[in-house]
Amino acid sequence: MSQVVVIGAGAVGACCALALLADGHDVTVVEPGMPGGDQAASFGNGGWIGTASVVPMSMPGLWKRIPGYLLDTDGPLVIRPGALPGLAPWLWRFVAAGRRIAQVEATSRALAALLCDAPARHAALAKAAGLEPLIVQAGLTYVYPSREAFEAEALAWRLRADQRVAWTELDADAVQHHAPGLSDAYRFGIEVASGGHCRDPGAYVAGLVALACARGA
């Protein structure tokens, strides 16, 4: 047995603490705020448990988007121009990690090994913590304005197919059935039945940390 300190009681920290306890270690979790509180990233997480999330963040051609990230202050990734000099070495390594197909294929295989049974693992953790209703395995839906938009991501979906992720195509009517109230601008979708989601990430994380403490952390 060894003494282990886990820095941060978010989703990752809570799961690490439980795994370490199960392996017989003495665990201390360090967290400045309430676990699962609204100050933490896990509180506002989208809650997807995605078996299809095997596509690396860094993909071939990513470098072409960097100018847009510099200009769009409301985009999914904001890079402030003043921070660019300090970020440049890391940014170069990040882009280089996905510059070749063989690299992203290797990363995809590694991600698949981590994610293939993620919904079942989370369901087991939720059951142990008395939080079974929070984990739902009802599939995940990816929506696009058109089939052409979906086909523009052919490499990403090829990587998923290589990792044996199965899916069903949805036409416009099926998309609306799966997501009532969604804008009718979305005319094509993909349903990944193996995916799941967490109904309340903040409450889930708080419950996992409470379970870890009850088990001796």
Side-chain angles (χ1 to χ4, degrees):
M1 181 180 74
S2 60
Q3 293 185 329
V4 183
V5 176
V6 176
I7 307 298
V12 174
C15 290
C16 286
L18 287 167
L20 288 161
L21 288 165
D23 201 38
H25 299 284
D26 184 5
V27 179
T28 298
V29 182
V30 178
E31 169 59 54
M34 289 296 295
D38 61 7
Q39 85 288 346
S42 293
F43 176 86
N45 190 284
W48 276 37
I49 307 173
T51 55
S53 299
V54 298
V55 180
M57 295 293 292
S58 181
M59 292 278 279
L62 176 66
W63 63 271
K64 299 176 184 177
R65 302 181 187 178
I66 293 176
Y69 293 148
L70 288 169
L71 297 172
D72 185 1
T73 58
D74 294 320
L77 173 63
V78 177
I79 302 176
R80 294 178 176 85
L84 193 57
L87 282 174
W90 176 88
L91 194 59
W92 169 256
R93 293 193 300 271
F94 178 70
V95 172
R99 70 184 185 277
R100 293 188 291 111
I101 297 295
Q103 290 173 293
V104 299
E105 289 174 337
T107 303
S108 183
R109 288 192 294 271
L111 288 169
L114 292 170
L115 298 173
C116 62
D117 58 350
R121 286 178 180 242
H122 278 289
L125 284 174
K127 183 176 181 179
L131 300 170
E132 287 182 83
L134 293 186
I135 301 298
V136 180
Q137 189 169 354
L140 294 173
T141 305
Y142 298 71
V143 295
Y144 296 88
S146 65
R147 171 178 279 279
E148 290 73 21
F150 161 71
E151 291 173 348
E153 296 186 359
L155 175 57
W157 288 99
R158 197 266 285 172
L159 291 172
R160 293 180 174 110
D162 289 347
Q163 301 311 318
R164 300 182 181 179
V165 174
W167 65 81
T168 302
E169 295 186 3
L170 307 175
D171 61 17
D173 290 339
V175 168
Q176 289 299 317
H177 175 76
H178 274 71
L182 184 70
S183 169
D184 59 10
Y186 295 100
R187 310 288 298 169
F188 184 83
I190 295 291
E191 175 75 7
V192 179
S194 60
H197 70 277
C198 178
R199 294 182 185 274
D200 187 338
Y204 180 52
V205 169
L208 294 185
V209 174
L211 177 63
C213 291
R215 291 181 175 179

